[in-house]
Amino acid sequence: MSATPLSGSSTVAVIGAGAMGGGIAQIAAVAGHPVKLLDAREGAATSAIEGIRAQLNKLADKGRLTPEAAQAAGERLSVATQVSELADAALIVEAIVEDLAAKQSLFVSLESIVSDDAILSTNTSSISITAIGAALKRPERLAGLHFFNPAPLMPLVEIVSGIGTDSAVADTLFATAKAWGKTPVHARSTPGFIVNRVARPYYAEALRLLQEGAADVATIDAVMREAGGFRMGPFELMDLIGHDVNFAVTRSVWTAFFNDTRFTPSLIQQELLEGGFLGRKSGRGFYDYREGAAKLLAATEAPRSLNATVTLHGNSEAAIAFATRLSNANIALTSGATTSDGRITTVGDAVIFVTDGRSATQRAAQSNIANTVVIDLALDYRSATRIAISCAQQCAPAARDNAIAMLQAAGLQVSLIKDIPGLAVMRTVAMLANEASDAVNQGVCSAADVDAAMRLGVNYPRGPLAWAEQIGVATVRDVLLNLASSYGEDRYRVSPRIQQACYAGGSLHD
Ligand code: NAI
């Protein structure tokens, strides 16, 4: 039976009137609750309410709210100056500074003021709910209510249960977030909850590519956007988040997992931080945002002319997509046999494969095909506009040029990157799916929820588990095994859930 949300007429108190608290107060007021906003800094709650009212008027101007609804929501907001004024609140949402002692002492003071059935919640993004609850007489009524920034726009809310949280409290919060128009997901209070844990490889693999000199930041960003379908590339996204914030989250997840190498922070990011290159907010990060600074462009191969025969092999998604794209471009194709080595096309002497996590050079040596060219994963090979490729060291320049010419004839911009295992999109998606699988395997959340969380919390184009199923779970496992063997690092160990799924039909969902 699904739980009942808080009644619309019950009072919600939001403590902390900063970026998050203001957004949460706006959501609750629009949903019909009287909302009290409290901040330790004088004047902060008043100016936050003015800001929210201005925001509501803008929404009314754009037709997203009726003028009456905007006016009524604005009137439901009021300032509280002391914790004692929050006695009638049915729900407290704490969004103060990210500090365990500050949060504990606030909740301890609230415990004796609010009614017995009031729910206490925290918007913390990194502190253990269990640890906050440890200071309370009744930790069962405390849960995480983790919104994403900007709260009024981002649909996801993680409902986080600590060891002492009553499941009925989590269920009421879940139903309430839903009634507020959000998409809630349940999570256990483990480091990073869902999104801040599962998203780590998006940054970490890109930083490792950069460290190895695979390509420059603009090229990796372009590949992740234009082949991977991600809204922002990892470097531009880190610049937007701020390296201070992003590095702190990475460090905190890494430390919380007892220095698991999966989460090891990057020296490159640490150096940016040490240099004060915090990203957009300081004018410089990976990119230079200062006036007049040169814009970095992705490395793109110059046009080549296609003067070799193209043969298609097999019926993989990539092979079928290239068949369509090349036919649409009036390129004559011949049909070749499906081969056990997994090649998708041959162009003259060049043999093209989708990466399986081995470098092109390793693959060339093991299959005895010198002219090996590997291409990266694309979210959708039919509509991608760019593709990363790498060539075996053994590959002849003419064969490389044939491969590039074929990809260009199919309408793709080609970024030729250093021959590193797993290229960019494939290794990132494999690691995202691996982390998502471990989170599910360890009971942090359900398979459906991890996919929803990554789509709605960080705008990924596809949930990592659904994506792995589309690639083929055995392929994802092989990519990870090949990365593990290339690097000799525990970081790329395969999630038991992925291993199991390979033996049981390939589904990562329940
Ligand atoms: P912020 O710095 O914009 O606002 C915090 C507000 O809390 C300030 O106005 C401050 O005066 C007030 N405050 C501090 N201690 C207080 C106390 N003891 N009692 C009452 N008011 C107090 O911070 P922001 O970004 O809004 O973050 C708030 C919480 O939300 C933190 O726990 C943070 O980790 C979490 N969070 C932040 C996200 C973000 O992207 N900024 C995303 C999701 C969660």
Side-chain angles (χ1 to χ4, degrees), residues 300-319:
T300 304
E301 287 304 300
R304 314 278 211 281
S305 49
L306 178 61
N307 34 35
T309 307
V310 179
T311 306
L312 286 157
H313 299 271
N315 56 2
S316 65
E317 219 187 288

Side-chain angles (χ1 to χ4, degrees), residues 15-21 38-41 44 94-98 102-103 106 123-126 146-149:
I15 309 182
M20 295 306 294
L38 173 80
D39 198 286
R41 195 163 46 84
E94 169 274 310
I96 66 165
V97 57
E98 188 75 338
K103 289 186 193 286
L106 175 65
N123 186 49
T124 182
S125 46
S126 66
H146 184 212
F147 288 84
F148 290 75
N149 193 11

Side-chain angles (χ1 to χ4, degrees), residues 222-230 317-318 322 344 353-357 374-382 384-390 412 417 422-433 461-462 464 466-472 475-476 479:
V223 166
M224 296 306 288
R225 280 194 316 267
E226 297 165 33
F230 290 92
E317 219 187 288
F322 283 124
I344 52 169
F353 303 88
V354 173
T355 176
D356 66 356
V374 296
I375 68 168
D376 202 357
L377 176 69
L379 175 68
D380 186 343
Y381 287 105
R382 290 166 305 179
T385 53
R386 177 180 297 274
I387 196 85
I389 70 164
S390 65
L412 288 154
I417 72 174
L423 295 168
V425 182
M426 181 64 98
R427 80 193 252 169
T428 303
V429 172
M431 284 296 275
L432 290 170
R462 190 171 293 147
W467 205 340
E469 288 169 352
Q470 193 216 346
I471 298 164
T475 302
V476 171
V479 167

Side-chain angles (χ1 to χ4, degrees), residues 160-190:
V160 189
S161 293
I163 198 169
T165 305
D166 183 346
S167 62
V169 166
D171 289 343
T172 302
L173 287 174
F174 187 97
T176 303
K178 221 169 166 175
W180 292 358
K182 296 295 178 186
T183 305
V185 291
H186 282 292
R188 267 201 314 120
S189 180
T190 50

